[in-house]
């Protein structure tokens, strides 16, 4: 083993790690062997020196900020109305290219002056002026990569003196980087390792040869044991890629090491690759020797992470995904997004981000964020700190008030809610105070300081990887501050756009350095590594390679002209201290061949990258493409690169038809059950092979599968099952707690009606006691339930007041109308006290509609008296329940109504009658009962007694009224649909009929036997439809059950009770 | 079949060989038009007439563009493999080397290329993204919400009139967006390259009301001492009462009052009147009033609609701003802005004419006037 320290310069951080790991596996000593990127070496050599010169580090996002500032003075480049940030980002890339290529501002100015068209001249002059300022600012105050490389060319580096330095043939250096590499060769005897493309202009090996960098073979380095050549087949492919078909390829190995895969979409494509990975692993290939290159990591990585995790394939995601997708960066952006106190954004931040809740709420045992979700849902506040404050205060006041009047057991629960609301209130206030600065216009260093404090204060990493991400986010925020000297005070939006761009540009760190598994990442991230197995995904035309566009600030011919000027420039000066930005004439590049990139050279660069990636495979190479867009279903066609690869593989011109013939599709483990990706796939195949007997065996071992299968069977069965509301078992006696008779308790009339409308809803609401979780929205109107409740309250208040003041009957006078509307207005205001509506125009219109409803009702009431002589007499008359304290002046009956059913059992009913009117004695006397209803009045012609359960309360009220007012007769009873102004009458005689008793018996039996069947006709305004499935499915299920299930038939027969 | 020669082979051959001549090819489906286009492109490249990147080939769909590109690649590969002439081999190789950059695309993608290559001159955001339908719907949704919220959180007479007229503001259902204000706004945004057809002059209700008052007063004179049971008499009495109510009412109420009259043909019984001329005049008057009323209602509706359209242009402004902020252009922008840029900038036009020396359009019959204008400007047929 070498005693000489060895340094290998590689194109990616990952490449170094992979090579060193390989060496370790070969049981080679790793001491004194290291691998790093040229940029990192330059930093080691020159960073301290740059700092000593008083220069600040220049970060990638700085260019955009400085460009934005400089652009402001150039309307010829930034047209009015265009956003500054994206224009500045594009311009920053152009300026960075110019610096990297060593182009001086004077050259751009000369180019502009030579320009024939006035538009081009104006644009180029603008670019030249900005570039002059840009490079002057950087030169004076900062060190960017260009400066770092230039500084490193001459920097003292004693630690390299005895080091053997090698360049990986896979490097893709920038022009300034190439100069640095050349200097390493000159000063320290660095050598390029042989291999790679020595023919194509722009390829590193060719550039290195031109720069006379000496070479060495892998075999002569310490990396010899791990630098295995690719198979002959793969080598042939990469050598002849993008070339005219040459000599025939070697006979393919059996089986071929190169595979062509296609799939209907990205997810199935990843599934195919996962199976091939499993297959290779089964044949003995370590996961760590495999790599998956994703040219579109943002699309593929989430799919792959999910699938590989399920398939339990170990993998290592190399820095490919934007930092913005990591938990910490995302949390920070969510934190900034909470500044308007939008409920959704705030709750997403609180539930997703690692927030130090104990600190922020002042509660050592803070509530779980889900409690905040529940409370804010109830508050119905959607946005704005003021409305949050008001709503929370109101909530705390009301809950505290309610808690006082409750028993100890119930009080504890209320008090917990109050405590949670207080915690949320503290949290909201703290957050509001912490984010207040974002509404100011601040200098960049102050932005940096404030944002850093915010990030440190509100986001606490919970593990090592989050710590690293946190550090990267903090660095991003620090970088913003470095530009304070070149930019004036800016607004939050500008800073946010820079932060977002930076978090998008930076990559997430490696998840775990020690983790071993399949290497996954973008081709750039994996670049330089060697693997036995490489899969390249997503080879679709238009996606990879992407679309190549010229630089709009410096068009291709202009770039070429600058390159030509360099090539034909003045003789090179022999000086080591030359600045890139001396104001003298052009100096030819010491390493010719690399200069300003054009569209054509970028295409060539991507081709090289593709070739190199394929060449990273030693034994097995897989190229794949999805045939369709999974989102749109549109057909996709193979990439031109894929066609080129196939042509190189075949050694002859090929067509898309040839690809279709050779490409294989995943078979879902049909042929090899051991390659199933997950248990679901495996079980499906087992059942397909061995029939339903296998299912029974599988179910014995898999409770989840058993439940899922039972659910599936139950839902599609001809008969009712436990999965759609049949709680009792067939043949069983009725259940005491479900059976309204056996339970011995009174059941409310409204519950009987609810069961009549939909048994399943009754089950969810009254048996399971589920509450619908409705996402609050800005109030646009009163929902039907609210309108009904409000109407009820106002009507009752008004009528009681009139009655108690002797103001009945109703006459619809101006005075009455004014009073009624005043009461309505008052109640409406009180209704929204805790959550004032933000959409005032809609609220005003809704109020108008509600007040019109009241006016119309008053007119109807007056008309009623004129025609029927009915006068309101009693309100909220209750029976079978405790007498309300606020209602003691109304008649009441403690005992429930008892209805003797035909089988001898007794059903006890409780309830509350909305209103009872009396008819004047001189007009015949008698009681008139009404039950207020909201929503649309029924328009069907259902003549049954049952009427879909909608009117089942009324007969109980008739029976109760006869008990409460003995000797008086109920002459009329109806449902009063106030919105529609319609009344639906119920014949009082029916309440004592045998049919009604039989109906009750049937309902009690169904309840007792746990038959809670779904009723599709009741879905329209139901809050529980999410758990029921689509309405047409319910309809068809109901029809099927009615045919085959006696219990379902019994439910269906309810409407036959006429 | 391979031995058969099409009857129009001579014409096909002209297309393959007369590379300096423009052609319009019209033929039925499946007769080989697209193949002929490929042949022509290949011929242009292999004869050295032009380089591949100097040709713009326009297709109707993205899929057709990709297919054309793949077929072009195949044809060039074949030519390279089969040619004996080293210069032809070199040109085929050169074409294949630039195949990724070849402008073979839809007209929208061609406009994207134009705008992305010269965004500064075209006045668009450099590096803009193209908003597909989903993204443009999303941006519209944001713009609509912002516009609506601004109005709903303050006072807006027009919107209040919309709400009280029970015109739904928005209603998204699984089967789409029925006729709502939101849908009208969406349509206006989607068709913003067209001028909305709206009434421009405002209307004054006063002369209309005066006209009604005069006519009704005359009819009222005619029914004096006529039998109450007659339907014409009853209608005129009702008219008289209604017009009295409209004094001081604003426009919408006048309409409501008019609607309640329900005038129809055939009112009245001439025999009951015993005065033929008075009856005829009265009936004619009611019909005249009915017609004028209906016309007035139409005018009112048109005026209300134009008010709405003008107000909804606010949504469009927000939509434009939001697109700008997001750095995106939608499909309408691509065509409109590319056409504007070419039309208004001679040097830009000449730049792209130099860049695209040959233009080949597949499915030309499916292009719209704006697309034709763009193609003609690129081809030098229209000066802009």
């Amino acid at each position: 083993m070498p005693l000489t320290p060895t340094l290998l310069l590689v194109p990616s951080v990952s490449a170094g790690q992979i090579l060193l790991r390989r060496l370790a596996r070969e049981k080679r000593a790793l001491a004194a062997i290291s691998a790093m990127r040229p940029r990192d070496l330059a930093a080691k050599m020159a960073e301290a020196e740059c700092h000593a010169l008083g220069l600040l580090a220049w970060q990638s996002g700085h260019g955009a900020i400085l460009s934005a500032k400089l652009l402001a003075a150039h309307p010829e480049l930034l047209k009015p109305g265009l956003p500054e940030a994206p224009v500045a980002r594009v311009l920053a890339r152009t300026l960075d290219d110019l610096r990297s290529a060593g182009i001086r501002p004077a050259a751009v100015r000369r180019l502009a002056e030579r320009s024939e068209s006035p538009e081009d001249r104006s644009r180029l002059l603008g670019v030249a002026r900005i570039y002059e300022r840009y490079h002057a600012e950087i030169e004076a105050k900062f060190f960017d990569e260009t400066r770092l490389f230039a500084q490193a060319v001459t920097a003292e580096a004693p630690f390299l003196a005895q080091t053997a330095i090698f360049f990986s043939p896979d490097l893709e250096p920038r022009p300034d980087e190439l100069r640095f590499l050349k200097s390493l060769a000159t000063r320290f005897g660095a050598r390029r390792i042989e291999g790679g493309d020595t023919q194509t202009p722009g390829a590193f090996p060719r550039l290195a040869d031109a720069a006379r960098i000496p070479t060495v073979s892998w075999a002569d380095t310490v990396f010899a044991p791990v630098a295995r050549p690719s198979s002959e087949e793969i080598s042939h492919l990469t050598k002849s890629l993008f070339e005219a078909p040459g000599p025939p390829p070697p006979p393919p190995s059996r089986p071929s090491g190169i595979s062509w895969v296609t799939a209907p979409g990205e997810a199935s494509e990843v599934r195919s690759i996962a199976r091939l990975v499993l297959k290779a692993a089964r044949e003995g290939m370590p996961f760590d020797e495999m790599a998956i290159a994703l040219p579109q990591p943002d699309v593929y990585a989430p799919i792959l992470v999910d699938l590989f995790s399920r398939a339990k394939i170990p993998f290592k995601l190399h820095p490919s995904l934007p930092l913005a997708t990591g938990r910490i960066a995302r949390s920070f952006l969510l934190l900034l997004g909470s500044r308007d106190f939008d409920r959704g954004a705030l709750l997403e931040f609180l539930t997703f981000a690692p927030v130090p809740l104990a600190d922020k709420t002042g509660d050592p045992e803070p509530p779980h964020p889900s409690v905040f979700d529940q409370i804010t849902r109830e508050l119905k506040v959607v946005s704005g700190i003021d409305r949050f404050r008001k709503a929370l205060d109101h909530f705390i006041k009301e809950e505290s008030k309610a808690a006082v009047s409750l028993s100890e057991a119930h009080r504890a629960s209320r008090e917990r809610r109050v405590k949670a609301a207080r915690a949320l209130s503290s949290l909201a206030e703290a957050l509001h105070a912490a984010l207040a600065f974002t509404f100011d216009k601040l200098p960049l260093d102050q932005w940096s300081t404030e944002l850093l404090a915010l990030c440190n204060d509100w986001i606490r990493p919970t593990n090592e990887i989050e710590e690293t991400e946190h550090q990267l986010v903090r660095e991003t925020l620090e970088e913003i501050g470095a530009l304070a000297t070149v930019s004036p005070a800016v607004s939050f939006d500008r800073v946010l756009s820079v932060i977002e761009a930076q978090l998008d540009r930076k990559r997430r760190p490696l998840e775990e350095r020690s983790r071993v598994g399949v290497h996954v990442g973008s081709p750039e991230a994996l670049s330089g590594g060697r693997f036995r197995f490489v899969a390249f995904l997503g080879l679709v035309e238009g996606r990879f390679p992407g679309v190549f566009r010229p630089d709009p600030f410096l068009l291709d011919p202009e770039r070429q002209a600058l390159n030509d000027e360099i090539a034909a420039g003045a003789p090179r000066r022999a000086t080591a201290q030359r600045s890139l930005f001396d104001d003298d004439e052009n100096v030819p590049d010491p390493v010719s061949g690399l200069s300003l990139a054009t569209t054509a050279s970028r295409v060539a660069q991507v081709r090289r990258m593709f070739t190199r990636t394929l060449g990273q495979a030693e034994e097995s190479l897989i190229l794949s493409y999805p045939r369709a867009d999974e989102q749109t279903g549109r057909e996709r066609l193979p990439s031109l690169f894929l066609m080129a690869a196939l042509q190189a593989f075949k050694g002859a011109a090929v067509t898309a038809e040839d690809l279709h013939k050779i490409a294989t599709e995943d078979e879902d483990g049909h042929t090899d059950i051991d390659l199933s990706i997950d248990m679901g796939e495996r079980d499906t195949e087992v059942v397909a092979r061995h029939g339903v007997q296998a299912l029974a065996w599988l179910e014995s071992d898999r409770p989840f599968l058993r439940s899922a299968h039972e659910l599936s069977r139950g839902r599609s069965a001809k008969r009712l099952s436990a999965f759609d509301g049949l709680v009792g078992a067939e043949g069983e006696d009725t259940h005491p707690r479900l059976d309204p008779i056996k339970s011995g308790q009174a059941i409310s009339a409204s519950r009987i009606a609810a069961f009549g409308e939909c048994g399943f809803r009754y089950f969810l609401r009254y048996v399971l006691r589920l509450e619908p979780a409705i996402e609050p929205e800005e109030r646009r109107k009163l929902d039907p339930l609210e309108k009904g409740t409000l109407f009820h309250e106002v009507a009752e208040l008004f009528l009681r007041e009139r009655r108690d003041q002797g103001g009945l009957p109703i006459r619809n006078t101006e005075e009455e109308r004014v009073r009624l509307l005043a009461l309505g207005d008052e109640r409406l205001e009180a209704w929204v006290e805790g959550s004032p509506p933000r959409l005032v125009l809609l609220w005003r219109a809704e109020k108008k509609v509600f007040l019109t409803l009241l006016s119309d009702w008053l007119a109807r009431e007056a008309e009623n008296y004129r025609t029927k002589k009915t006068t309101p007499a009693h309100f909220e008359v209750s029976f079978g329940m405790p007498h309300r304290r606020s209602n003691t002046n109304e008649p009441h009956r403690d005992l429930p109504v008892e209805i003797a059913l035909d089988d001898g059992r007794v059903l006890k009913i409780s309830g509350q009658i909305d209103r009872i009117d009396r008819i004047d004695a001189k007009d015949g006397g008698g009681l008139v009962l009404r039950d207020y209803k909201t929503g649309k009045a029924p328009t069907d012609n259902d003549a049954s007694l049952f009427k879909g359960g909608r009117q089942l309360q009324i007969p109980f009220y008739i029976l109760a009224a006869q008990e409460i007012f003995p000797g008086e007769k109920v002459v009329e009873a109806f449902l009063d649909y106030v919105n529609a102004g319609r009344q639906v009458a119920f014949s009082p005689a029916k309440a004592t009929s045998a049919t009604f008793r039989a109906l009750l018996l049937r309902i009690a039996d169904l309840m007792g036997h746990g038959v809670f069947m779904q009723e599709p006709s009741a879905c329209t305004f139901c809050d529980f439809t999410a758990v029921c499935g689509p309405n047409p499915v319910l309809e068809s299920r109901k029809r099927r059950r009615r045919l085959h299930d006696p219990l379902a038939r019994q439910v269906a027969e309810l409407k036959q009770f006429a | 079949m391979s031995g058969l020669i099409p009857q129009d082979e001579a014409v096909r051959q002209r297309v393959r060989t007369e590379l300096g001549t423009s052609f319009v090819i019209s033929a039925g489906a499946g007769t080989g038009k697209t193949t002929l286009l490929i042949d022509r492109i290949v011929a242009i490249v292999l004869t050295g007439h032009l380089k591949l990147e100097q040709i713009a080939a326009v297709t109707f769909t993205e899929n057709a563009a990709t297919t054309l590109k793949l077929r072009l690649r195949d044809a060039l590969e074949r030519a390279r493999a089969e040619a004996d002439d080293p210069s032809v081999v070199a040109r085929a190789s050169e074409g294949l080397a630039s195949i990724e950059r070849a402008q073979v695309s839809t007209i929208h993608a061609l406009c994207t290329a134009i705008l992305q290559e010269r965004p500064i001159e075209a006045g668009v955001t450099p590096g803009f993204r193209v908003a597909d339908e989903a993204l443009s719907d999303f941006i519209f949704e944001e713009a609509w919400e912002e516009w609506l919220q601004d109005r709903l959180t303050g006072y807006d007479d027009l919107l209040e009139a919309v709400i009280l007229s029970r015109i739904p503001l928005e209603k998204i259902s699984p089967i789409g967006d029925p006729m709502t204000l939101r849908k009208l706004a969406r349509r206006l945004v989607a068709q913003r390259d067209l001028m909305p057809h709206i009434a421009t002059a405002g209307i004054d209700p006063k002369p209309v009301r005066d006209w009604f008052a005069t006519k009704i007063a005359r009819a009222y004179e005619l029914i004096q001492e006529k039998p109450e049971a007659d339907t014409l008499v009853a209608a005129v009495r009702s008219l008289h009462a209604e017009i009295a109510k409209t004094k001081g009412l604003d426009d919408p109420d006048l309409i409501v009052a008019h609607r309640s009259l329900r005038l129809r043909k055939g009112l009245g019984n001439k025999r009951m009147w015993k005065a033929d001329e008075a009856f005829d005049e009265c009936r004619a008057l009611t019909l005249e009033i009915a017609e004028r009323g209906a016309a007035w209602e139409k005018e009112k509706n048109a005026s209300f609609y134009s008010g709405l359209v003008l107000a909804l242009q606010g949504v469009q402004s927000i939509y434009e701003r939001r697109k700008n902020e997001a750095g995106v252009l939608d499909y309408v922008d691509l065509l409109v802005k590319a056409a504007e840029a070419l039309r208004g900038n001679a040097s830009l036009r000449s730049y792209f004419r130099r860049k695209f020396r040959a233009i080949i359009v597949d499915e030309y019959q499916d292009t719209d006037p704006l697309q034709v204008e763009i193609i003609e400007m690129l081809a030098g047929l229209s000066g802009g």
Side-chain angles (χ1 to χ4, degrees), chain B residues 124-169:
Chain B
V124 299
T125 310
F128 67 84
R129 285 179 301 133
V130 178
D132 58 14
E133 277 175 31
L135 181 57
S136 93
D137 277 347
F138 177 75
I139 296 172
F140 169 78
E141 181 58 37
E142 287 187 330
W144 164 255
E145 270 301 311
E146 184 183 330
W147 181 86
L148 190 65
Q149 300 274 325
D150 271 0
R151 269 142 199 83
L152 294 181
T153 49
Y155 289 86
D156 186 296
D157 290 343
L158 185 73
L159 203 62
E160 194 158 0
V162 167
I163 294 163
L164 292 174
S165 310
R166 301 199 173 191
I167 295 174
L169 296 181

Side-chain angles (χ1 to χ4, degrees), chain A residues 76 79 81 83 119-120 123 244 549 552 607 635 637 641 647 654 780 838-841 844 848, chain B residues 63 66-67 73-74 77 80 96 100 113 116 118-121 149 152-153 155 160 170 324 345 347:
Chain A
E76 75 276 22
K79 293 272 160 57
E119 284 93 349
D120 290 345
R123 171 173 49 81
R549 302 271 183 231
R607 284 183 168 200
E635 187 192 3
L637 294 165
F641 279 20
Q647 179 166 299
V654 292
R780 289 174 173 248
R838 200 170 70 85
L839 310 179
V840 289
L841 188 72
R844 227 173 27 239
K848 272 188 190 172
Chain B
N63 195 285
T66 309
T67 307
R73 195 202 72 88
D74 295 347
E77 281 291 2
R80 178 162 73 173
L96 285 163
E100 292 94 349
Q116 287 193 335
R118 305 299 297 264
I120 298 155
E121 293 79 1
Q149 300 274 325
L152 294 181
T153 49
Y155 289 86
E160 194 158 0
E170 51 187 349
N324 254 343
N345 189 326
S347 91

Side-chain angles (χ1 to χ4, degrees), chain A residues 429-561:
Chain A
E429 291 300 342
L431 189 60
H432 177 60
L435 288 166
F437 74 95
T438 62
F439 292 90
D440 298 333
K441 215 169 175 183
L442 303 171
L444 283 168
D445 51 350
Q446 206 174 329
W447 273 118
S448 175
T449 311
E450 297 277 5
L451 290 169
L452 267 168
L454 188 71
C455 182
N456 288 332
D457 208 25
W458 282 85
I459 295 171
R460 301 277 164 84
T462 57
N463 56 38
E464 201 183 321
I465 186 77
E466 286 183 6
E467 283 285 358
T468 318
E469 281 187 22
H470 199 255
Q471 181 57 35
L472 287 170
V473 172
R474 285 204 307 268
E475 278 171 21
T476 309
L477 301 176
E478 277 166 11
E479 287 160 21
I480 292 171
L483 273 185
T485 53
V486 296
S487 185
V490 294
S491 68
F492 173 73
D493 290 342
R494 164 106 51 106
V495 174
L496 181 64
S497 74
V498 172
I499 295 172
E500 283 175 338
Q502 285 301 89
L503 297 181
D504 222 32
R505 193 194 311 258
K506 291 187 175 177
R507 302 289 103 177
R508 279 163 70 178
L510 262 178
E511 287 185 349
E512 278 176 46
R513 282 176 186 274
S514 58
R515 199 162 157 179
V516 173
V518 180
H519 299 272
V520 180
S522 64
E524 293 86 354
L526 297 174
S527 152
R530 301 287 303 166
F531 309 96
R532 288 170 64 191
F533 171 112
V534 170
F536 200 112
L537 275 66
L539 285 163
V540 172
E541 185 55 18
R543 298 293 178 92
F544 184 80
V547 180
F548 298 92
R549 302 271 183 231
D551 174 2
F553 288 102
L554 204 55
L555 299 168
D556 278 350
E558 293 156 356
R559 284 178 168 244
Q560 195 51 54

Side-chain angles (χ1 to χ4, degrees), chain A residues 50 53-58 66 70 95-96 98-100 102-105 130-151 176 483 485-486 577-583:
Chain A
C50 289
L53 290 170
L55 301 176
L56 296 166
W58 178 263
L66 181 54
L70 300 175
L95 302 177
D96 194 45
L98 285 168
R99 275 183 63 78
S100 165
I103 308 284
R104 292 174 309 108
I130 288 179
Y131 185 39
E132 277 161 18
R133 295 275 311 278
Y134 185 86
H135 104 262
E137 293 276 12
I138 296 178
E139 284 291 293
K141 297 169 190 159
F142 300 97
F143 64 93
D144 60 354
E145 280 202 11
T146 299
R147 180 67 182 265
L148 192 67
F149 283 129
Q151 207 74 31
D176 43 12
L483 273 185
T485 53
V486 296
Q577 292 293 334
R578 178 173 58 84
S579 159
L580 279 172
F581 300 105
D582 288 344
D583 277 339

Side-chain angles (χ1 to χ4, degrees), chain A residues 916-1038:
Chain A
I916 301 175
D917 292 7
R918 288 181 181 282
I919 297 177
D920 291 355
K922 63 179 184 328
D923 291 300
L927 303 173
V928 177
L929 309 189
R930 88 176 65 204
D931 190 34
Y932 289 121
K933 290 278 176 195
T934 50
K936 280 170 79 175
T939 50
D940 57 14
N941 297 320
D942 184 357
S944 72
L945 171 68
F946 177 62
K947 267 196 168 59
R950 283 189 300 270
Q951 60 174 22
L952 275 182
Q953 287 148 285
I954 280 283
F956 298 122
Y957 297 161
I958 294 167
L959 296 173
Q962 285 167 353
E963 300 273 358
I964 298 169
F965 304 100
E968 295 192 66
K969 191 179 173 194
V970 176
V971 294
E972 200 181 339
F974 53 84
L975 301 172
D976 193 353
Y977 285 89
V978 289
N979 283 358
R982 264 190 67 202
Q983 293 167 349
V984 178
F986 182 88
S987 164
K990 284 187 176 175
T992 50
S993 67
T995 315
F996 182 56
R997 286 196 303 278
L999 173 63
L1000 294 182
L1001 185 60
R1002 171 68 62 87
I1003 288 176
D1005 269 351
L1006 288 169
M1007 280 181 167
H1009 281 105
V1011 183
F1012 300 113
M1013 202 173 143
Q1014 292 157 325
E1015 175 47 55
S1017 64
C1019 291
T1020 314
F1021 296 108
C1022 181
D1023 291 326
F1024 294 98
T1025 47
V1027 298
C1028 285
N1031 197 275
V1033 174
L1034 300 187
E1035 287 280 5
S1036 85
R1037 200 181 292 157
K1038 183 181 160 188

Side-chain angles (χ1 to χ4, degrees), chain B residues 208-221:
Chain B
V208 182
R209 189 163 37 229
D210 292 347
W211 184 91
F212 273 122
T214 311
K215 296 287 179 185
I216 292 169
R218 172 64 188 147
Y220 194 65
E221 273 174 34

